[in-house]
Amino acid sequence: MIGPAINSACIVAGAVLGSLLARRVGSSFQKNIMLVFGCISTGLGIFMIGKAHAMPPIVCSLMAGTVLGELFRLEHIVVRLSHKVAGFFARRSARRAARKAARMTAQAGANATVAATGAVTGAATGTVTGAADAGTPDAAAPASPCAAPDAARPSVSIEAIQEQFAVFTVVFSASGLGFFGAMQEGLTGDFTMLLIKSLLDLPTAMFIAANIGAVIGVLCVPQFVIQMAVLLSAGFVSHWATPAVLADFSGCGGFIMLATGLRMCGIVQFPILSMLPALLLAMPVSALWVHFVG
């Protein structure tokens, strides 16, 4: 379970670092980096497809798995869940911002009251300096420099958070690389593939967190659970998980990674989450194909 633990830790670390560096990263820079990550995902998908043993079982798995995903409305369920999670954190952030604004307003009011009191006292005692300072418009202005950064801070819509949650639920939690890496560690003890995925997920989480906040770190939980489930189930399939079957499993994940990359780049809105059941069908369908066809 070394691979899933490292992968989860990298997602959390990336989310924290990204949220801390958010103000230092411009929106155009984030957008360009996301396009690069989409390109990387597409390239990984093509690479994994190229390792496939036979296309017919992969195509059958993708078609049947997507039909099942659509029938059970898998994408709709996950998007609704991401909506609730994103809404919960967005409301918390809004409440914190409102409390901060209220404190700043109260402080500004207190400063104005003190300045006005000083002006009245100065006028009553004939102190010209006090009256002149009170009449200066800068007396009630100390709160404005503090308010400027909050006003200039970019806001992200709930819809954008939902979309990025849907995409990165796949990238982090259910990617073909993650499934294959967890299966490989369960069968052989080699967690190299998950280590590679961790190195990719760390900067990805950073730039996503810079855009929508550290909430993206929540995805380490389903990612860890899914990878551990795949890792622990490897012992049950080891007797028929031949190199050809594993190659087809990787190829099926490659198609999903390809679709994920195209969606990240905004080219085509593939139903990525509905395609995930194909990964559950890929190995048995490929095993049947190898047994009867070769």
Side-chain angles (χ1 to χ4, degrees):
M1 63 178 64
I2 297 176
I6 294 176
N7 202 176
S8 297
C10 285
I11 292 174
V12 173
V16 173
L17 290 174
S19 63
L20 294 177
L21 299 175
R23 294 184 180 182
R24 300 176 183 269
V25 181
S27 58
S28 61
F29 181 77
Q30 295 175 23
K31 180 180 178 181
N32 292 335
I33 290 297
M34 289 311 305
L35 290 175
V36 172
F37 285 144
C39 181
I40 292 173
S41 178
T42 303
L44 284 173
I46 294 173
F47 175 78
M48 294 167 69
I49 293 170
K51 299 290 185 178
H53 172 258
M55 278 296 155
I58 295 177
V59 172
C60 292
S61 300
L62 283 169
M63 294 179 64
T66 304
V67 169
L68 287 175
E70 288 292 311
L71 288 176
F72 287 99
R73 305 183 68 192
L74 186 59
E75 180 146 351
H76 175 73
I77 292 172
V78 174
V79 168
R80 282 191 61 187
L81 180 61
S82 68
H83 182 123
K84 292 180 180 180
V85 173
F88 171 74
F89 284 98
R91 287 191 296 270
R92 287 190 59 185
S93 178
R95 285 197 294 267
R96 285 198 300 268
R99 287 195 296 267
K100 184 176 181 180
R103 287 196 301 269
M104 292 173 61
T105 302
Q107 184 64 36
N111 291 341
T113 301
V114 171
T117 303
V120 173
T121 303
T125 57
T127 305
V128 178
T129 303
D133 291 342
T136 304
D138 295 337
S144 58
C146 298
D150 290 331
R153 188 180 303 172
S155 60
V156 182
S157 66
I158 295 294
E159 291 75 14
I161 295 177
Q162 290 173 15
E163 173 62 19
Q164 296 199 31
F165 251 79
V167 170
F168 287 97
T169 296
V170 176
V171 173
F172 291 148
S173 308
S175 69
L177 185 60
F179 269 76
F180 183 72
M183 183 65 69
Q184 184 181 50
E185 182 176 357
L187 292 173
T188 66
D190 182 10
F191 58 90
T192 303
M193 296 297 291
L194 288 182
L195 183 59
I196 294 174
K197 182 178 182 296
S198 301
L199 296 176
L200 292 173
D201 286 350
L202 177 61
T204 302
M206 284 182 60
F207 289 107
I208 295 302
N211 187 26
I212 67 174
V215 61
I216 198 68
V218 173
L219 292 180
C220 74
V221 177
Q223 182 268 158
F224 183 80
V225 171
I226 291 172
Q227 287 186 1
M228 282 301 300
V230 173
L231 188 151
L232 295 175
S233 66
F236 298 100
V237 300
S238 59
H239 60 284
W240 48 269
T242 63
V245 172
L246 289 176
D248 288 344
F249 177 79
S250 177
C252 184
F255 274 102
I256 297 178
M257 287 292 290
L258 175 61
T260 302
L262 294 175
R263 181 166 175 170
M264 289 171 65
C265 294
I267 298 175
V268 181
Q269 296 298 308
F270 283 99
I272 302 170
L273 299 174
S274 295
M275 297 169 67
L276 292 180
L279 292 172
L280 301 177
L281 301 176
M283 294 185 75
V285 173
S286 177
L288 290 173
W289 178 269
V290 171
H291 179 74
F292 290 105
V293 180

